[in-house]
Structure formats: C-alpha cells, structure tokens
Amino acid sequence: MTIAVATDGVAAADWREAVVSAASALVEAGAAGEGYPEACVRVVEENGPYIVLTKGLALVHARPEEGGLAVGVGVTRLAAPVEFGHPDNDPVDLLLAFCTPDPNVHVGTLAALARALSGGLADRLRAAAGRDDLARELKEALPDD
C-alpha cells in the first residue's frame, strides 16, 4: 500500500530546506527512515539539479537502501518558489517526494508519477484549494495497490 502525504504553504529559504521539508513528510508518515531527508539533499549535491523535471517541479528522492521503509509519495507546495540552479525549470514551487524499500517498486512508482505528470498533475496540484485537495489529487494519480 502506498503512503501518500501532502503539505501546503511550506516556507523554505532555499532548495535544501525545500528538499528536507518534502522528504521529512515521508519520515513523519513512517514511509522513510530518519536519514532520508539528508540522503535526498546529497542526491542534488552530488548530481546537480536534475531532479527539477519540468517547470517549477522537483522529484525528491534517494536510493531505496538510503531509508525507504515503505512505498511513500508526498507532495509539498511551497509558500514561495526556490531556485535549484536548473537552467530551464527554476524556480520550483512544487516538490514530489517518494521513497520505496525495493528498487523494482522504485521504477514502477516513478513510471506512475511520470504518467500523471504528463497528464497534467502539476497543474492540478497548483490549482488545489488546500492540503486536503493536494492529497486527493496525489492519491488519484497513484496506482491502486
């Protein structure tokens, strides 16, 4: 079963705070271990802002062995956008965070999110009235367990 969480109006001074906030929601939901937020920051530090997939949207993640306890997906909508240093897709106002304990599920979760994003998920998330609407839009985009 996928654990889905939503946070809205999150204040972040920079991309690091945004990533930690998004990944921490997965920790609080029990989907990721305590070290997961810092592992997600390291992904960007080591590989650059490739996680900024499209205008204004970043996909926060780390490898399954770095703290994935369950399949978890979260959406975080920032109070104000932050810069990741991406040449085309900054600034970021939406972060999708995910974790899985299994690399095979990792790929399936990514594929489901990619399909949802190509189907307008980011626009629906931006238009959501609040945290409950954010959560509903996210859950509708995920595969049924």
Side-chain angles (χ1 to χ4, degrees):
M1 185 171 129
T2 300
I3 297 170
V5 294
T7 53
D8 193 16
V10 173
D14 58 24
W15 71 262
R16 282 178 179 82
E17 279 188 20
V19 167
V20 167
S21 291
S24 291
L26 295 174
V27 174
E28 290 166 20
E34 290 295 323
Y36 199 70
E38 287 306 317
C40 292
V41 168
R42 277 195 310 277
V43 165
V44 180
E45 289 173 344
E46 293 170 5
N47 302 300
Y50 82 96
I51 70 166
V52 183
L53 299 183
T54 186
K55 291 268 184 222
L57 184 133
L59 186 61
V60 173
H61 63 284
R63 297 202 44 80
E65 62 270 16
E66 294 192 87
L69 303 176
V71 178
V73 181
V75 59
T76 298
R77 188 163 56 178
L78 298 177
V82 296
E83 299 281 334
F84 273 73
H86 193 283
D88 302 315
N89 294 330
D90 272 346
V92 169
D93 63 330
L94 277 177
L95 298 98
L96 289 175
F98 80 94
C99 61
T100 67
D102 176 331
N104 295 323
V105 176
H106 186 94
V107 173
T109 303
L110 273 177
L113 286 173
R115 281 191 302 278
L117 288 169
S118 67
L121 177 61
D123 292 337
R124 292 192 303 278
L125 292 171
R126 286 188 179 96
R131 191 178 67 80
D132 290 344
D133 280 350
L134 278 171
R136 183 179 41 75
E137 288 291 347
L138 179 62
K139 286 176 185 164
E140 287 176 5
L142 295 173
D144 291 329
D145 299 309

